Amino acid sequence: MRGAWLEDRRIRVRDDVPWPAVPPGEARIRVLLAGICGTDLELVEGYYPYTGVPGHEFVGRVEESPGAPEWLGRRVVGEINAVCGACPTCRANRPTHCERRSVLGIVNRPGVFAESFLLPVANLHAVPDELSDELAVFAEPAAAALRVLQQVHLGPGQRVAVLGPGRLGTLVAQALAGSGGDLVVVARRPESR
């Protein structure tokens, strides 16, 4: 299949990206729309030694899902960490820090900058019909920003600082704005303010 391929800090289009079989518990998802994340750009710059198809922000349609026919044809977004469910971290209910996880388009799992990709069925979330692909593709970065609210409990009078008004920093600030805390966004460059 066709896909973007990252190797040695160079990205190119290939027509021979492997088309893997769908293992039990996973689904093949046809990409409808993919977003380019700052992490994708950092991978090209050498932030992490990744070789393969990058990309983890997507909206897609399930084409195959052995053992889970209810997902066939559904439009989906998904969580990017594919976890083992058995390591001590998973058993402690911290699956996003699984010791054996693969991460879509970042660590040991081909990403979404191809015609299709695989992801565990457990990671899928159906996209409501009334939500456009152009909005749904922001599910992953919005989820990352909202995760802060699960990790840090803010209330009236508490102070919080978001370091950097970049794309993710702005989303985090928006998520925290309704917490009742005293929010400050810190920027290095005057044009970022």
Side-chain angles (χ1 to χ4, degrees):
M1 72 178 151
R2 287 178 53 94
W5 188 264
L6 174 61
E7 188 170 357
D8 296 325
R9 297 175 60 188
R10 290 190 350 219
I11 195 151
R12 62 188 173 94
V13 175
R14 287 180 49 176
D15 290 325
D16 62 346
V17 174
W19 189 274
V22 184
E26 300 223 358
R28 178 183 313 283
I29 300 153
R30 165 91 40 199
V31 178
L32 299 174
L33 186 66
I36 299 173
C37 177
T39 301
D40 301 320
L41 302 175
E42 291 294 326
L43 286 173
V44 173
E45 293 297 318
Y47 147 79
Y48 183 82
Y50 179 74
T51 296
V53 177
H56 58 271
E57 297 177 3
F58 73 93
V59 180
R61 191 164 306 279
V62 175
E63 291 189 319
E64 291 181 61
S65 56
E70 67 275 13
W71 286 100
L72 281 174
R74 293 186 79 179
R75 196 166 56 115
V76 296
V77 295
E79 298 176 36
I80 67 173
N81 291 294
V83 302
C84 75
C87 72
T89 307
C90 284
R91 288 194 315 269
N93 199 27
R94 292 180 297 158
T96 57
H97 298 283
C98 170
E99 299 163 13
R100 294 180 232 149
R101 78 183 181 276
S102 61
V103 184
L104 186 63
I106 301 172
V107 179
N108 298 325
R109 181 173 282 271
V112 305
F113 295 158
E115 293 177 59
S116 70
F117 62 96
L118 304 179
L119 199 60
V121 170
N123 289 37
L124 301 180
H125 297 279
V127 176
D129 290 339
E130 62 273 10
L131 193 63
S132 71
D133 291 348
E134 291 77 13
L135 285 176
V137 77
F138 286 100
E140 192 279 332
L146 291 168
R147 178 88 170 120
V148 172
L149 295 174
Q150 293 176 321
Q151 296 171 328
V152 178
H153 301 285
L154 296 174
Q158 291 181 296
R159 299 189 76 196
V160 63
V162 174
L163 303 179
R167 293 175 297 269
L168 185 56
T170 300
L171 283 172
V172 169
Q174 289 173 341
L176 293 171
S179 69
D182 184 15
L183 173 64
V184 175
V185 179
V186 180
R188 283 187 302 200
R189 298 184 311 267
E191 63 272 13
S192 296
R193 291 187 197 129

